């Protein structure tokens, strides 16, 4: 697996440079030159399965004349769980275009920032794209329906401890917690409200299909036994997966720069360690007290529990990326300084997309 470790180190170094360059940039603003409807959907595609495909096709069916833009998390290749993705964003973008996405753009980095920060970046991306529609898969339930109705009216819902609150009226719409997919919708509505983006009637809520398990798919990919998940994956995804695996660029899931993480944990001075994103006081003090570390497991035992069960993996990703919290805050303030196009259907679609968001600085990733 040394080849994947080398690739991960290469990705981290390159993306760290790109991230810091983005902090220094400022967004451009111009007049929009096209009125073609734009659908903007955020999905990790880790990897793209038939549930993702169902959402994409249903959205395109609802707005057939629109440009479907998939926002795929980018820099540092770390998921919301703080874990490395199975495929690079370029490969995930390739699969998205292969099944029907018109354009794929690079989304904000997930694993190195808090979930609220990430949601805010995502909201800013929807505003930068001037999205007309936001397709979103959800898990249907009777108690979740009033929340969807509130959001459809353009009113944000704030997730509070064990309750969901209408941000306009203060009414408690739901007592208790939500599953992860539905929580993402609530969190996004809050962030969109915070930045003043009018999302009334823009969400296209699409019920999730049954019989698709991201966990089973990831296990099949990591084990190299794609046949066990074949019924859950579009043939285009399988083709991309096999191509990346043959080129020894996948699977990356679980592959970390262990050497870099341990070096940072063992050598960083207290001030620099404190400044890193997601490193709280208890974790910092435990690291300083118990270092040096010889393994990730030793280091993981020093990470204090957070609000999320994924917090320890996020902290490891922060130690990998080595981006301080103040820099992340500046990055968020001006996000997205540039919209990077990872892939697109054809030159005509690219031309229409450029006209549709002519107000923004664009880059095409090679």
């Amino acid at each position: 697996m040394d080849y994947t470790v080398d690739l991960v180190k290469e990705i981290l170094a390159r993306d760290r440079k790109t991230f810091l360059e983005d902090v220094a940039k400022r967004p451009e603003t111009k007049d929009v030159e096209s009125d073609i409807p734009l659908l903007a959907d955020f999905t990790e595609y880790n990897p793209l399965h038939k549930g993702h495909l169902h959402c994409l096709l249903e959205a395109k069916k609802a707005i057939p004349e629109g440009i479907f833009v998939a926002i795929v998390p980018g820099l540092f290749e770390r998921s919301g769980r703080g874990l490395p993705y199975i495929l690079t964003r370029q490969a995930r973008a390739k699969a998205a275009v292969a099944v029907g996405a018109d354009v794929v753009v690079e989304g904000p980095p997930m694993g190195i920032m808090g979930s609220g920060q990430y949601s805010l970046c995502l909201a800013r991306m929807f505003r930068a794209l001037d999205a007309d529609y936001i397709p979103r898969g959800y898990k249907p339930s009777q108690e979740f329906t009033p929340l969807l109705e509130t959001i459809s009216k353009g009113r944000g819902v704030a997730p509070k401890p064990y309750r969901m609150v209408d941000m306009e009226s203060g009414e408690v719409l739901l007592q208790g917690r939500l599953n992860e997919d539905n929580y993402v919708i609530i969190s996004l509505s809050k962030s969109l409200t915070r930045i003043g983006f009018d999302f009334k009637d823009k969400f296209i809520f699409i019920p999730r299909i049954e019989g698709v398990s991201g966990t089973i798919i990831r296990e099949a990919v990591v084990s190299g036994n794609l046949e066990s998940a074949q019924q859950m994956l579009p043939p285009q995804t399988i083709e991309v997966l096999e191509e990346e695996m043959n080129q020894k660029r996948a699977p990356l899931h679980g592959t970390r720069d262990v050497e870099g993480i341990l070096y940072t944990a063992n050598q960083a001075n207290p001030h620099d360690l404190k400044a890193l994103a997601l490193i709280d006081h208890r974790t910092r003090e435990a690291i300083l007290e118990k270092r040096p570390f010889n393994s990730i497991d030793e280091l993981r035992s020093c990470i204090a529990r957070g609000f999320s069960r994924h917090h320890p993996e996020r902290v490891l990703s922060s130690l990998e990326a080595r981006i301080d919290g103040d820099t992340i805050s500046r990055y968020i303030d001006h996000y997205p300084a540039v919209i990077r196009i990872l892939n697109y259907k054809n030159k005509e679609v690219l031309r229409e997309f450029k006209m549709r968001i002519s107000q923004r600085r664009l880059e095409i990733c090679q």
Side-chain angles (χ1 to χ4, degrees), residues 44-198:
E44 293 182 273
Y45 293 150
N46 186 39
L48 190 154
H49 53 59
K50 288 186 176 179
H52 297 133
L53 178 59
H54 172 72
C55 184
L56 185 154
L57 295 178
E58 288 297 303
K60 288 176 72 81
K61 187 188 302 182
I63 314 294
E65 73 279 12
I67 299 174
F68 187 98
V69 180
I71 304 169
V72 171
L75 300 174
F76 304 107
E77 303 291 7
R78 297 295 179 261
S79 73
R81 295 176 174 84
L83 293 168
Y85 285 118
I86 287 174
L87 297 168
T88 66
R89 55 191 180 275
Q90 289 79 11
R92 288 180 283 137
K94 183 177 182 179
V97 169
V99 301
D102 295 306
V103 179
V104 182
V105 302
E106 182 181 89
M110 289 194 77
I112 68 163
M113 57 175 64
S115 57
Q117 292 176 314
Y118 178 78
S119 180
L120 186 58
C121 279
L122 192 57
R124 291 180 186 274
M125 175 61 83
F126 284 121
R127 182 174 64 184
L129 293 171
D130 192 24
D132 296 295
Y133 299 97
I134 304 174
R136 194 67 232 167
Y138 74 101
K139 188 172 183 179
S141 67
Q142 184 175 357
E143 63 271 16
F144 192 53
T145 300
L147 280 72
L148 295 184
E149 292 174 349
T150 299
I151 293 171
S152 293
K153 296 174 184 176
R155 285 157 43 190
V157 176
K160 305 286 185 179
Y162 304 105
R163 67 189 191 280
M164 304 294 150
V165 179
D166 185 324
M167 294 177 69
E168 184 176 307
S169 68
E171 177 187 359
V172 176
L173 301 175
L174 176 67
Q175 296 281 1
R177 296 182 175 182
L178 295 171
N179 71 68
E180 191 168 335
D181 285 341
N182 292 357
Y183 182 88
V184 168
I185 295 174
I186 299 304
S187 180
L188 180 57
S189 78
K190 175 184 176 182
S191 296
L192 291 169
T193 301
R194 283 182 60 189
I195 67 171
F197 183 73
D198 182 7

Side-chain angles (χ1 to χ4, degrees), residues 19 22-23 25-27 108-109 112-125 127 191 194-195 277 324-337:
F19 186 94
D22 283 354
V23 172
K25 295 175 182 175
R26 296 294 179 268
I112 68 163
M113 57 175 64
S115 57
Q117 292 176 314
Y118 178 78
S119 180
L120 186 58
C121 279
L122 192 57
R124 291 180 186 274
M125 175 61 83
R127 182 174 64 184
S191 296
R194 283 182 60 189
I195 67 171
D324 64 87
D326 288 344
T327 301
I328 285 181
S329 295
R330 295 199 304 274
Y331 177 86
I332 294 170
D333 287 343
H334 302 290
Y335 185 83

Side-chain angles (χ1 to χ4, degrees), residues 15 38 59 121 135 154 194 197 209 296 319-320:
D15 287 356
L38 189 148
C121 279
R194 283 182 60 189
F197 183 73
I209 61 172
I296 290 293
L319 290 166
E320 270 183 314

Side-chain angles (χ1 to χ4, degrees), residues 21-35:
E21 288 173 348
D22 283 354
V23 172
K25 295 175 182 175
R26 296 294 179 268
E28 293 180 347
T29 55
K30 304 175 186 175
D31 293 331
V32 177
E33 299 177 0
S34 169
D35 58 359

Side-chain angles (χ1 to χ4, degrees), residues 255-304:
T255 306
R256 288 196 179 276
D257 177 13
V258 174
E259 182 181 349
I261 293 172
L262 294 179
Y263 180 84
T264 301
N266 289 332
Q267 301 298 327
N269 65 52
H271 177 270
D272 290 345
L273 198 60
K274 178 183 179 181
L276 287 178
L278 305 178
I279 307 291
D280 58 81
H281 174 75
R282 288 173 57 196
T283 297
R284 181 194 61 170
E285 293 305 308
I287 290 174
L288 292 173
E289 178 184 346
K290 296 183 180 181
R291 66 186 190 182
F293 303 98
N294 296 308
S295 71
I296 290 293
D297 287 339
E298 290 179 11
L299 176 58
R300 187 181 278 110
S301 68
C302 293
I303 301 174

